[in-house]
Amino acid sequence: MSRIEEALARANRERKADGAPAEAGGAFGSSLAVSVPPGDTPRPASVTRSVTLDPKLIAASGFDNPVSEEYRKVKEKLVSLARQKGMNLFMVTSSVMGEGKTLVSANLALSLAQEYDNTVLYIDADLRAPCGHELFGVDASPGLSDCLMDGVPLHEALVPTGVGRLSFLPAGRQLANPGELFASSMMRDMLLEMKRRYADRYIIVDTAPVLPFAETRVLSRMVDGVLLVARENLATISGLGKTQEAIEGANVLGVIYNDASHPAWPSFPGYGNRYGSNRYGYGNHRSGRNGVE
């Protein structure tokens, strides 16, 4: 039994001793039926955080446009690789800040979830500067760090998005140095539990950039595959080379070329990386329309 399962079993016993009903459905479970697999059910609707999708999550719009189509192309390639190699746990990262990894990873998760038979979990594992929760209009906590550090049951942190069978695990409270936490057996156990329990689920993990932070290098070796986001006019050949060296041993599946220039693409008002603020302390970057190639 994993540490997570032990903690949840102990919590169930304590609730039962207090006269409250124990939770059904396994290690992550509750007895409510919602549009996610049994055993991984988010909190009851009365206490579940309400989701408001940011317009920049264009993959959820259902509209046909060049940007959504590019995400579908990336999704199809990822699904093909996953089925050939038996993979379901993927990390999306970048060399440095400002390349659009969070927006790309969230849209990729949404695109995956729109296929009828796909169950998807999107995890914000950028504990230094979490922003995935802003795209879904929910609080960052409870989330990943709260589950790992405070024993918050995973099902209490999961957020059903209302898009297909997509659940979102926010980052939780922000940490200045999550390196030791991510290198711990607790993190490895949690990822392995998620991966093995639901072989038909896709798990997309958004992480901090590779070059500034050590924890991303650790996580890259825990997942089945890594997708690098490289932003036009920001990514460099030298930077990508250093990134590959930093995550040597990880299975790098490919590069998503973001904010790509394309004369046939119209401008989408409000779309693009709104993350122009200096979240990591390295300086601002421009915002613009995004493309994925």
Side-chain angles (χ1 to χ4, degrees), residues 67-290:
V67 179
S68 293
E69 185 60 31
E70 295 304 311
Y71 281 116
R72 282 192 286 271
K73 291 176 183 177
V74 175
K75 174 195 67 177
E76 288 168 3
K77 290 181 180 179
L78 186 63
V79 168
S80 177
L81 275 173
R83 290 174 177 168
Q84 290 174 25
K85 306 292 185 180
M87 301 184 294
N88 68 340
L89 177 58
F90 305 99
M91 186 180 97
V92 180
T93 189
S94 59
S95 297
V96 296
M97 67 160 291
E99 299 199 71
K101 63 179 182 56
T102 296
L103 197 58
V104 168
S105 59
N107 272 294
L108 178 57
L110 284 159
S111 186
L112 281 165
Q114 288 179 328
E115 288 197 10
Y116 178 75
D117 55 352
N118 284 351
T119 298
V120 184
L121 174 61
Y122 172 50
I123 303 173
D124 186 353
D126 187 348
L127 302 190
R128 294 178 183 267
C131 53
H133 62 284
E134 296 177 6
L135 292 173
F136 291 93
V138 298
D139 293 332
S141 289
L144 176 61
S145 62
D146 306 299
C147 293
L148 292 171
M149 299 182 68
D150 302 329
V152 172
L154 185 59
H155 74 272
E156 292 190 3
L158 288 174
V159 180
T161 65
V163 178
R165 292 185 290 177
L166 171 65
S167 294
F168 170 51
L169 179 61
R173 71 176 186 272
Q174 192 169 340
L175 300 179
N177 185 14
E180 291 184 2
L181 179 64
F182 280 2
S184 70
S185 59
M186 290 187 297
M187 183 67 184
R188 186 179 298 274
D189 287 348
M190 176 177 277
L191 289 176
L192 286 176
E193 182 74 14
M194 293 174 178
K195 171 180 170 57
R196 292 172 179 171
R197 182 172 289 266
Y198 303 108
D200 60 344
R201 163 196 282 162
Y202 294 99
I203 304 169
I204 305 295
V205 184
D206 173 29
T207 73
V210 172
L211 295 182
F213 306 118
E215 67 268 15
T216 305
R217 307 175 189 202
V218 173
L219 281 176
S220 71
R221 298 174 183 94
M222 295 183 184
V223 299
D224 294 332
V226 177
L227 292 169
L228 291 176
V229 176
R231 189 169 189 172
E232 186 173 274
N233 296 325
L234 184 59
T236 64
I237 297 298
S238 173
L240 287 171
K242 291 177 181 177
T243 298
Q244 280 203 291
E245 290 177 8
I247 58 176
E248 185 178 1
N251 182 20
V252 179
L253 300 176
V255 177
I256 298 175
Y257 192 50
N258 193 29
D259 201 12
S261 301
H262 196 302
W265 288 347
S267 174
F268 294 96
Y271 187 71
N273 275 323
R274 77 115 188 89
Y275 308 115
S277 58
N278 179 0
R279 289 182 171 268
Y280 290 95
Y282 289 101
N284 297 335
H285 57 86
R286 71 181 179 87
S287 106
R289 72 179 183 272
N290 277 342

